[in-house]
Amino acid sequence: MNASTVGHWIDGAEVPGDSGRTADVFDPATGKVARQVAMAGPAEIERAVASAAAAFPGWRDTSLSRRTRVLFAFRELLDAATDELAEIITAEHGKVVSDAQGEVARGLEVAEFACGIGHLLKGGYTENASTGVDVHSIRQPLGPVAVISPFNFPAMVPLWFVPIAIAAGNTVVLKPSEKDPSAALLLARLWQRAGLPDGVFTVLQGDKEAVDGLLDHKSIKAVSFVGSTPVAQYVHQRAGAAGKRVQALGGAKNHMVVLPDADLELTADAAVNAGFGSAGERCMAISVVVAVGAVADPLVAAIAERARGLRTGDGRRGCDMGPLVTGAHRDKVADYVAAGERAGAKLVVDGREVVPDADGSGFFLGPTLLDHVTPEMSVYTDEIFGPVLSVVRVDSYAEALDLVNANRYGNGTAIFTGDGAAARRFENEVEVGMVGVNVPIPVPVAHYSFGGWRDSLFGDTHAYGTEGVHFFTRGKVVTSRWPDGTRHGLDLGFPRND
Ligand code: NAD
C-alpha cells in the first residue's frame, strides 16, 4: 500500500490534515488501496474558511481585466493539463481515459465562458429615469462560497462552478468527494500557476463533517452542491436555514423515449453509449429506454448485440467501460439486477458474468440489459448509478410521456424519432430540465445552464451559463441625482417619477 496522503489546499499550498482522520482512496480497476485522503475536522474547516474570507476583499477589488487575465491563463493551463488530469481521474474514479479527457473538455468550456466575465457582469443604465435622475444596476460578488462535489465528475463538476464564482470576484472553498480527491489538488496548482492569489481557491478534503462545517459557517455566503438526492435535500435545507443562497443538484433517472419511426442503428448506438459510458455513473446517463410499440423487439436485439461486444476492464487499457467506484457500490448495483430478475424482468445481458481485462480484483460489473421492466420494480424506481439499462415497453407516445412526467426525477430525457412534429410536441410537454432530440445525453453547452426539475434540483438557479453568473452575484440598483443648482423644496410624499 502506498502510504501517501492527499492533503488540503489552503493559503496556496498543500497541507496535511491534523484531525487524525483519513480515509482510503482505491484504484477501482485493481481493487487496491492506492493512498489515503485527509478528512477535515473543525480546525481545518476554520482555517480553510478563514483563508477564503481573508482573500475576499482583495480579490473582489481586483480589476476585471486582471481577473480575466487569470481566467485566460487558467484556461490555457487546464487545456495543456488535460491528459495529466485524465490520468488522475481514471486512477481514482475508474472511468476510461478517453471519457476522463471528455469530462475535462466539458469543464474547460465553462472556464472559456468565464473568460467573458466582463460582458457577463455588465449592468444597465437609464439616463433621465426621472427629471435629472439616472438609474444604473451592478452585480457584485457574494463573498466566500462553498462548492461540494460528487465522485462521478471530479474535474467537470467543480469546473461547472469554480471559474464563474472566481471570475465574478468570489473566493471558493471546494469540498471534493473523498472517493477521488486528487483532481482538485491539480486544479489548485493550475489556478496558482495562472496567477490566482493565495486563498481565492481552497480545497478542503473530507466527508459529512467538512460539509456540515461549511453549511453552518457564517462566513460562507452560498453553497453549490451536486450529489445524490437525499444529501441534496439535506444540504438545501440546512444551508437555507443558515441563511445562505443554495443550489443543490441531486440524482436522476433519465428516460429515452423511442418512437416506432426512430433510426434503429442510431438509437441503439445512443442507448449503449449513454447507458454504459462511465459504467452508468453519470447523472445524465440513460437508465430507462421507453420503447413505443413495435420498435421494442428489434431495439432490444440491437442494444444487446452491442452491449455484448463491449470490452470491460482497466480504463488505462483502451477498454470501453471501466469499473464501478467501490466494491460496495458494485455489490449494490448487482443486487438491483437480482431484484429486477426476481420481480419478473427479463435479463437479456448479465453483466455479473463479465471477465474484465484487468489485474487484481477490481470493482467490475459488465453492461447489463433488462427487458420487460415495469414501473413498480426497484430497478425502475431507484437511481441505480451503474451499467444497467432497463427497457420499459409501452403502447403509445402518451403512455411514454406520462411515465417520464410521473417519475420523481426530472434531470434529463431524450426522444428518438424521425418525426419533427412529435419531437416538438415532446419538447413542449415533457416536464424535465434538459431534453435531447436524437441526442441521448443533452448536457447543455457552457453558455446555457445545467439543471433538472423535481427531485433532481433543490433551489431555483441552475448551474453555469448566465444562471451561474446570477447565482454567484447579487444585484444592486443605484438611483442618483447630481446637484445642478435647482432646488425643489420640501415634499414628504412618496417619490414619483416625472
Ligand atoms: P453523494 O451525495 O454521496 O456525495 C456528494 C457529496 O456530498 C460528496 O462530497 C460527499 O462527501 C458529501 N456527502 C455524502 N454524504 C453526506 C452527508 N450525509 N452529509 C453531508 N455531505 C455528504 O453523491 P456521490 O455518490 O458522490 O455522487 C453520485 C450522485 O450524484 C448521484 O446521485 C448522481 O445522480 C448525482 N449527481 C448529480 C448531478 C447533477 O447534475 N444533478 C451531477 C453529478 C452527480
Side-chain angles (χ1 to χ4, degrees):
M1 184 178 96
N2 182 339
S4 69
T5 301
V6 183
H8 313 286
W9 183 271
I10 301 176
D11 283 333
E14 184 177 352
V15 295
D18 50 23
S19 71
R21 278 204 311 135
T22 58
D24 291 339
V25 179
F26 288 90
D27 177 344
T30 63
K32 295 206 172 80
V33 175
R35 56 192 68 84
Q36 305 287 307
V37 58
M39 304 292 260
E44 291 122 314
I45 297 167
E46 195 51 47
R47 204 171 144 199
V49 177
S51 170
F56 177 62
W59 183 243
R60 171 195 197 273
D61 289 337
T62 299
S63 73
L64 261 177
S65 63
R66 280 171 199 263
R67 294 202 315 241
T68 305
R69 249 177 270 149
V70 172
L71 261 296
F72 269 87
F74 176 74
R75 186 262 166 224
E76 292 298 295
L77 290 163
L78 181 62
D79 190 31
T82 297
D83 291 349
E84 189 185 351
L85 199 48
E87 261 177 51
I88 291 172
I89 294 167
T90 297
E92 293 186 350
H93 175 283
K95 65 177 75 174
V96 302
V97 171
S98 57
D99 191 28
Q101 288 165 335
E103 103 158 71
V104 178
R106 295 307 304 263
L108 186 75
E109 273 182 18
V110 183
E112 288 168 350
F113 173 77
C115 286
I117 194 70
H119 181 72
L120 294 163
L121 288 185
K122 265 191 332 200
Y125 193 97
T126 303
E127 185 188 42
N128 262 342
S130 183
T131 308
V133 173
D134 306 324
V135 179
H136 69 274
S137 66
I138 49 183
R139 296 204 70 85
Q140 296 186 320
L142 307 174
V145 300
V147 174
I148 300 158
S149 58
F151 81 84
N152 67 321
F153 284 110
M156 184 185 78
V157 166
L159 288 166
W160 280 356
F161 306 102
V162 175
I164 294 175
I166 285 180
N170 303 280
T171 57
V172 177
V173 179
L174 169 65
K175 207 300 284 172
S177 169
E178 62 276 36
K179 296 191 178 95
D180 42 18
S182 298
L185 286 188
L186 179 54
L187 293 177
R189 292 196 168 88
L190 298 179
W191 278 116
Q192 186 173 58
R193 281 167 54 199
L196 192 73
D198 293 347
V200 177
F201 181 62
T202 297
V203 178
L204 184 70
Q205 308 285 8
D207 54 7
K208 177 174 170 52
E209 185 171 348
V211 172
D212 287 350
L214 293 171
L215 299 182
D216 294 345
H217 203 294
K218 64 178 185 338
S219 295
I220 295 290
K221 302 300 178 201
V223 176
S224 295
F225 170 90
V226 181
S228 57
T229 286
V231 184
Q233 261 169 322
Y234 164 80
V235 165
H236 182 247
Q237 191 275 331
R238 187 159 175 161
K244 300 181 198 321
R245 186 175 287 197
V246 51
Q247 53 181 183
L249 284 70
K253 194 83 189 175
N254 304 313
H255 297 66
M256 171 172 169
V257 174
V258 184
L259 299 188
D261 67 351
D263 178 323
L264 194 69
E265 301 300 313
L266 175 109
T267 307
D269 286 347
V272 169
N273 295 340
F276 304 127
S278 201
E281 291 173 329
R282 290 178 181 146
C283 66
M284 289 291 274
I286 291 294
S287 50
V288 184
V289 171
V290 187
V292 180
V295 78
D297 283 340
L299 182 61
V300 168
I303 295 173
E305 187 195 340
R306 286 162 172 76
R308 289 194 190 100
L310 295 176
R311 200 154 65 87
T312 302
D314 190 322
R316 292 159 288 218
R317 295 190 182 178
C319 298
D320 299 304
M321 204 182 90
L324 291 166
V325 70
T326 60
H329 186 52
R330 190 264 323 273
D331 294 346
K332 189 173 156 200
V333 176
D335 287 348
Y336 272 112
V337 176
E341 210 182 3
R342 274 199 309 277
K346 182 177 166 207
L347 189 55
V348 183
V349 181
D350 187 353
R352 294 169 300 180
E353 295 167 354
V354 76
V355 180
D357 176 3
D359 299 326
S361 11
F363 311 133
F364 290 100
L365 186 83
T368 299
L369 182 62
L370 286 162
D371 193 6
H372 296 283
V373 170
T374 52
E376 69 287 349
M377 293 180 189
S378 64
V379 76
Y380 177 81
T381 54
D382 297 2
E383 182 186 38
I384 297 178
F385 223 55
V388 179
L389 199 52
S390 296
V391 178
V392 177
R393 295 171 175 238
V394 297
D395 292 330
S396 64
Y397 163 83
E399 215 184 312
L401 181 75
D402 288 348
L403 192 67
V404 180
N405 286 350
N407 196 272
R408 72 179 282 213
Y409 299 107
N411 212 40
T413 189
I415 187 164
F416 278 69
T417 177
D419 180 347
R424 190 166 178 274
R425 184 174 162 196
F426 183 72
E427 179 186 321
N428 175 262
E429 294 177 340
V430 77
E431 292 169 7
V432 169
M434 293 169 283
V435 182
V437 176
N438 297 315
V439 172
I441 306 185
V443 175
V445 292
H447 44 285
Y448 286 85
S449 298
F450 182 107
W453 289 14
R454 296 197 289 280
D455 283 1
S456 294
L457 188 143
F458 302 90
D460 303 314
T461 316
H462 290 194
Y464 65 78
T466 47
E467 293 202 35
V469 176
H470 271 245
F471 183 79
F472 288 119
T473 53
R474 294 193 278 202
K476 189 182 271 183
V477 181
V478 180
T479 303
S480 56
R481 181 201 334 253
W482 290 96
D484 61 0
T486 53
R487 279 200 61 192
H488 301 281
L490 297 176
D491 180 355
L492 272 60
F494 194 70
R496 274 179 305 188
N497 295 324
D498 50 30

